[in-house]
Each structure stands twice: as structure tokens, then as C-alpha cells.
């Protein structure tokens, strides 16, 4: 693969096989513009290729377990490390896309009716990624993932995520400024699901309820170094990147995640039986069972293609 002018690895994935990270369940660096910066200069947008990738995600959503495109992973450490890093990288892109829509609304470039549906899809995608990154067995989380974060900083915290800051009020207040008078029911449902999934994953992985930040005997760094530490941990760099390269990097990850889930399932054998009450709610199980279909919706909105919901397709 040849990197783009920005350095981003953004070739759209080859059909019918694993094409991410150089080998199955490998990682790739993510390159995004600095938070708040506009997308880099636009290049040619491969709309036809976008549609083909979305069709492929749709096929994986429909029959992925019957036609896996990658062998199951025989190393739990490697599998769940891939999920932890790659799933978080997807969140970073989704948060950026949400922030751009919120800014469009605030600046009058789009109406509430135009942004509510894509934001709702993106929030559902965030919920799906919480389930995906949080699918590792709790024992493995506590011997592999949690110590790796502590080695970066004793007070390492998800609150340091740079791309989350511009949209944190959306999730905290559960409303979208400028949406008064619009039908925000879909967005409110998506945010309610997000909080339910977040609480359930936290209860499953951190049984004592104490985050690294709460346990740390040291203070966290300032805002800028915290963001740099967070980005570097999740193999994320900042540089001017045009939107089509941001979208291509997203699509590469969504296809790899769909291939992974098709080959390995979401949870390790027997690990899905003992889950907190939040993760046994009907709406969470629906998100879990439709995870790849949710990712398809994220991809379609990122590519400015109509989603299944908008076409009236139900599964």
C-alpha cells in the first residue's frame, strides 16, 4: 500500500480478503486533522468505490458468519488488542464527523432535520464500538489492556480523548443546540443506548468501579499533553487530511472489524454468559446482534450514501 500525500493509509480494502495492517489482526496508524481544524484540501472522491465498500459491509452483515474472509484468531491477546486500538480509532473518526455536523448546525450551514439522522447513526456506531472494544474477557483486560494504559500514564483516562471534547456536551446534556422544534426522538434514543452500553461495559471490565484516574496518586497532565499521550497510545497522528482520506481510513477499519466479527464472533466462547444487567437489556442485545449493520449505516452516512433506514430496509 502506498500512503497518500498526507501520509494516511487510505487505499480502499481489497475484496474478499483481509487487507489491513499487513497481516490478519494487525494495526494501522490513523491520521486525522487536529481537533477543530477543517479537512485538508479535497481530492477526487471515489463515490463508486465507496458504494462498493458499503455493499460489501452489507453482505458481511447479512451472511458474514457463513462466508468469513479471514481465519479465526488463535491469540486472544492479539485479537483483543486489535479490537481495543482499532475500535477506538473508529470512535475518533465518528466523533469528528459528529462535531462537523454540530458545527454545520450551529453555523447555519445545515438544518436540524438534515443533521439529526446522521448524528443518530454515528452515536449508534459509537455504542457498537463500545461493545466491540469492551468485548475482551475481564481477566485479559486486567492483565493486558489496563496495565498498558497505566504504563503510558498512571492517571490515563478516556476523558483525555481530543476528538471527544467538542461533542461532550451532546452526550452529557442529551440534547442538540439548534434542534428545538425538530424531531430528536431518534437521537435521544441513540444517546440513551450509549449511556446504557457505557455503564454496562464499565461494570463488566472494571468490577471495582475504580478507573485509573481515580486510583492514581498523581495528577493528570495538562490538556494538551493529555491529548498527545492519548493519541500516541492509540497510534493516532495529526496532520492536514482531506475528508475523502478520513472516510477511506474509516472504511478500512469498518471492513476489518466486520471481517473479525464474522470470523470470531463478538465474545469469546462462554464469556457472554456472565454480563451485567445493562448489557442484557433488549436494546443492547439488538445493538450487539446488529453491530455490522450499524457500521454499515455509519459508512453510508460518512460516504453520503442513503442508509438502510432511509431506504426503508429492515432486518
Amino acid at each position: 500500500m502506498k500512503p497518500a500525500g498526507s501520509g494516511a493509509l487510505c487505499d480502499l480494502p481489497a475484496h474478499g480478503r483481509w487487507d489491513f495492517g499487513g497481516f490478519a489482526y494487525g494495526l494501522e496508524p490513523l491520521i486525522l486533522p487536529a481537533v477543530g481544524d477543517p479537512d485538508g484540501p479535497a481530492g477526487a472522491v471515489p463515490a463508486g468505490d465507496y458504494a462498493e465498500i458499503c455493499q460489501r459491509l452489507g453482505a458481511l452483515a447479512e451472511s458474514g458468519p457463513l462466508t468469513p474472509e479471514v481465519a479465526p484468531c488463535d491469540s486472544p491477546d492479539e485479537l483483543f488488542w486489535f479490537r481495543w486500538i482499532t475500535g477506538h480509532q473508529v470512535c475518533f473518526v465518528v466523533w469528528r464527523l459528529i462535531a462537523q455536523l454540530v458545527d454545520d448546525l450551529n453555523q447555519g450551514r445545515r438544518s436540524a432535520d438534515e443533521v439529526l439522522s446522521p448524528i443518530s447513526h454515528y452515536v449508534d456506531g459509537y455504542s457498537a464500538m463500545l461493545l466491540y472494544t469492551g468485548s475482551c474477557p475481564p481477566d485479559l483486560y486486567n492483565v493486558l489492556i489496563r496495565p498498558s494504559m497505566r504504563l503510558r500514564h498512571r492517571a490515563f483516562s478516556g476523558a483525555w480523548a481530543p476528538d471527544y471534547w467538542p461533542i461532550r456536551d451532546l452526550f452529557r446534556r442529551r440534547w442538540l443546540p439548534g434542534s428545538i422544534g425538530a424531531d430528536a426522538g431518534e437521537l435521544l434514543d441513540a444517546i440513551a443506548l450509549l449511556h446504557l452500553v457505557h455503564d454496562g461495559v464499565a461494570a463488566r471490565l472494571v468490577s471495582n468501579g475504580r478507573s485509573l484516574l481515580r486510583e492514581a496518586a498523581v495528577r493528570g497532565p495538562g490538556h494538551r499533553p493529555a491529548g498527545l499521550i492519548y493519541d500516541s497510545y492509540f497510534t493516532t497522528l495529526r496532520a492536514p487530511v482531506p475528508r475523502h482520506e478520513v472516510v477511506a481510513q474509516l472504511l478500512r477499519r469498518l471492513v476489518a472489524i466486520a471481517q473479525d466479527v464474522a470470523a470470531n464472533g463478538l465474545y469469546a466462547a462462554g464469556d457472554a454468559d456472565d454480563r451485567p444487567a445493562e448489557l442484557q437489556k433488549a436494546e443492547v442485545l439488538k445493538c450487539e446482534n446488529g453491530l455490522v449493520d450499524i457500521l454499515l449505516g455509519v459508512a453510508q452516512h460518512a460516504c453520503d450514501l442513503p442508509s438502510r433506514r432511509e431506504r426503508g430496509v429492515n432486518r
Side-chain angles (χ1 to χ4, degrees):
M1 176 190 299
K2 295 180 180 179
S6 64
L9 302 177
C10 58
D11 288 351
L12 294 178
H15 184 73
R17 62 180 175 85
W18 183 275
D19 185 20
F20 186 86
F23 56 89
Y25 311 106
L27 302 177
E28 288 186 358
L30 174 69
I31 302 183
L32 294 176
V35 176
D37 283 1
D39 295 328
V45 177
D49 294 338
Y50 283 172
E52 182 179 340
I53 295 299
C54 289
Q55 290 171 3
R56 183 174 174 192
L57 282 169
L60 285 166
E62 294 284 355
S63 59
L66 302 177
T67 57
E69 297 180 348
V70 64
C73 186
D74 58 7
S75 169
D77 285 10
E78 190 170 305
L79 174 64
F80 292 107
W81 184 248
F82 166 79
R83 292 185 176 187
W84 186 250
I85 299 300
T86 305
H88 275 86
Q89 290 178 335
V90 169
C91 289
F92 304 163
V93 179
V94 165
W95 293 340
R96 178 174 176 82
L97 295 175
I98 293 174
Q100 289 177 324
L101 289 171
V102 171
D103 187 61
D104 282 349
L105 177 62
N106 291 339
Q107 299 301 321
R109 292 187 291 267
R110 300 196 193 190
S111 68
D113 290 335
E114 290 176 298
V115 304
L116 281 170
S117 180
I119 290 177
S120 300
H121 278 81
Y122 292 147
V123 174
D124 282 344
Y126 178 21
S127 295
M129 286 301 92
L130 284 178
L131 288 174
Y132 180 74
T133 58
S135 62
C136 60
D139 288 347
L140 188 147
Y141 175 82
N142 285 293
V143 299
L144 174 67
I145 292 175
R146 186 179 173 97
S148 72
M149 293 186 289
R150 190 178 185 279
L151 286 172
R152 287 302 178 99
H153 196 285
R154 294 179 185 178
F156 194 94
S157 171
W160 299 355
D163 299 283
Y164 185 78
W165 274 85
I167 57 170
R168 65 192 185 280
D169 284 347
L170 171 65
F171 300 130
R172 289 177 178 176
R173 299 180 182 179
R174 304 190 186 204
W175 70 286
L176 185 63
S179 65
I180 297 175
D183 183 3
E186 183 182 14
L187 177 59
L188 292 175
D189 289 345
I191 293 175
L193 173 64
L194 173 65
H195 284 278
L196 192 61
V197 170
H198 180 276
D199 292 347
V201 169
R204 179 173 179 269
L205 297 182
V206 188
S207 57
N208 65 3
R210 293 183 60 81
S211 65
L212 289 176
L213 183 61
R214 290 182 178 179
E215 286 186 346
V218 298
R219 296 181 61 181
H223 179 73
R224 186 172 183 274
L228 292 172
I229 292 169
Y230 199 87
D231 274 353
S232 67
Y233 174 81
F234 285 107
T235 322
T236 298
L237 307 171
R238 302 288 169 171
V241 180
R243 181 183 172 94
H244 73 276
E245 291 183 9
V246 173
V247 171
Q249 291 180 92
L250 173 65
L251 295 178
R252 291 185 59 77
R253 285 156 177 80
L254 296 183
V255 169
I257 289 168
Q259 291 173 313
D260 163 23
V261 173
N264 299 287
L266 185 60
Y267 292 103
D271 193 50
D273 299 333
D274 186 20
R275 286 182 286 178
E278 295 92 338
L279 298 186
Q280 299 181 45
K281 297 282 188 179
E283 54 268 46
V284 175
L285 295 176
K286 181 180 179 182
C287 179
E288 175 185 319
N289 294 330
L291 189 144
V292 177
D293 204 40
I294 290 171
L295 299 187
L296 170 60
V298 169
Q300 289 168 326
H301 277 285
C303 298
D304 293 324
L305 298 172
S307 70
R308 285 177 182 267
R309 273 185 255 179
E310 291 169 337
R311 299 198 315 269
V313 176
N314 296 314
R315 294 188 65 241

